[in-house]
Structures are given as structure tokens and as C-alpha cells.
Amino acid sequence: MTVKGSTALVRLAGNPSCEILGAMVMQEGSEKRFYERIVGEPYDREFGERQSSKRRGTQFERNVFAGDARLLREAFSPFFGIDADEIVVRNLFDDYPGTKDDSRVARLRITRGILADAVAGRPVPHIIVQPQLLLPTRPGPRPYFFIAPDVLVRSPVD
């Protein structure tokens, strides 16, 4: 599993002058292979997400999205300045379950549709769960990155 996508971009944003991070982000293949090519030996530490972290994350998401995302709506109610019952949440995992890789393009299409509706002034959800975004990175060998945040929250300011 690679964590190059948005994770690597966040690290690069924190240190934009680092040529090694910049090269890693733009190279094809995994971070582990990049490390091996640069250092000349296999990566010798833990890599990727630990199973316990995945279990806690899954449990957290299950609890947050339970009951039509009641906890999420209550948490964002002060931000929106409206009652939690008025907040609309759309969970794209419900539309396209599966891993991000399996449903990436379908969720991107839905996310783009929601954003286009917002620009056109049509009603849209306040919160989108499991959206997909595409970040162009031209020029270079990778013309774009998929960005998969857990949630996308629309600003209450028009």
C-alpha cells in the first residue's frame, strides 16, 4: 500500500524546498521502491497503516456515521449555525461501497456533480463523506493525484 498521494503532498507542502520529497512525489511506484533506489537497500522500518489503526479508524467511522451521521451533524451544527437536524450529509460510501481504488472514479464523478450543483445554486449536502478530488500536477510523469479526504464540509458562507 502506498501513501504517496495526499500524505506525500502534505509532507512536501511542509518542506517545499526538499528536492528528495519533490522527486518522490513525482516518481512512479511506491515510496518503498523509491527509498530502495535512492538509499540502495530495502526500507527497514514499519511501513503503511498498522492493523490496529485501521480497526480504530473503522470503529470511529462506524460510530460517527451511525444514525444518519448524527454525531457528525451535531459536531458541525455550531459551524453551520443551524440545527443538527437540518444538516444534510451524503455518504458516498453508501453509493459506491468498497475500497477507494474500487470506487475512485465513481465517487469523483458524484463529487464533481455536487460541486457543480453548489456553483449553480442548487441544494447540495452540507457534508460529503468519502468524496474524491483530483489534483492536477502537470508537468511530470504523473499528471494528477487522487485526493480522498474522509469528509468534505461546505462553508456556510455564500
Side-chain angles (χ1 to χ4, degrees):
M1 176 184 99
T2 181
V3 292
K4 278 177 63 168
S6 58
T7 304
L9 291 176
V10 167
R11 287 196 307 262
L12 182 60
N15 189 4
S17 62
C18 180
E19 294 176 4
I20 294 174
L21 276 174
M24 183 194 67
V25 167
M26 298 308 290
Q27 292 294 311
E28 293 292 328
S30 74
E31 290 176 333
K32 287 173 74 174
R33 277 184 282 184
F34 179 82
Y35 180 92
E36 289 174 14
R37 283 195 312 263
I38 298 300
V39 177
E41 56 189 57
Y43 190 73
D44 62 347
R45 292 173 284 258
E46 185 176 341
F47 185 80
E49 212 174 355
R50 293 191 317 241
Q51 289 302 313
S52 60
S53 296
K54 285 184 180 185
R55 280 192 304 273
R56 284 194 305 275
T58 301
Q59 181 182 7
F60 172 80
E61 288 181 2
R62 193 176 311 125
N63 291 340
V64 167
F65 305 139
D68 194 26
R70 183 71 193 173
L71 294 175
L72 193 61
R73 290 185 292 122
E74 287 175 354
F76 278 105
S77 179
F79 174 74
F80 288 116
I82 59 177
D83 187 76
D85 291 330
E86 296 177 38
I87 295 175
V88 177
V89 177
R90 180 158 180 199
N91 187 348
L92 300 188
F93 186 81
D94 292 339
D95 295 327
Y96 285 93
T99 66
K100 291 175 184 168
D101 291 336
D102 294 340
S103 56
R104 182 172 276 172
V105 174
R107 291 182 191 166
L108 175 64
R109 188 177 12 73
I110 293 170
T111 302
R112 286 179 168 173
I114 292 170
L115 295 174
D117 286 345
V119 169
R122 292 186 284 273
V124 294
H126 297 90
I127 302 170
I128 306 168
V129 177
Q130 298 295 326
Q132 279 288 324
L133 303 168
L134 200 63
L135 178 66
T137 56
R138 286 189 185 105
R142 298 187 72 187
Y144 57 84
F145 279 101
F146 279 98
I147 306 293
D150 290 330
V151 296
L152 185 64
V153 178
R154 184 171 52 94
S155 172
V157 178
D158 291 330

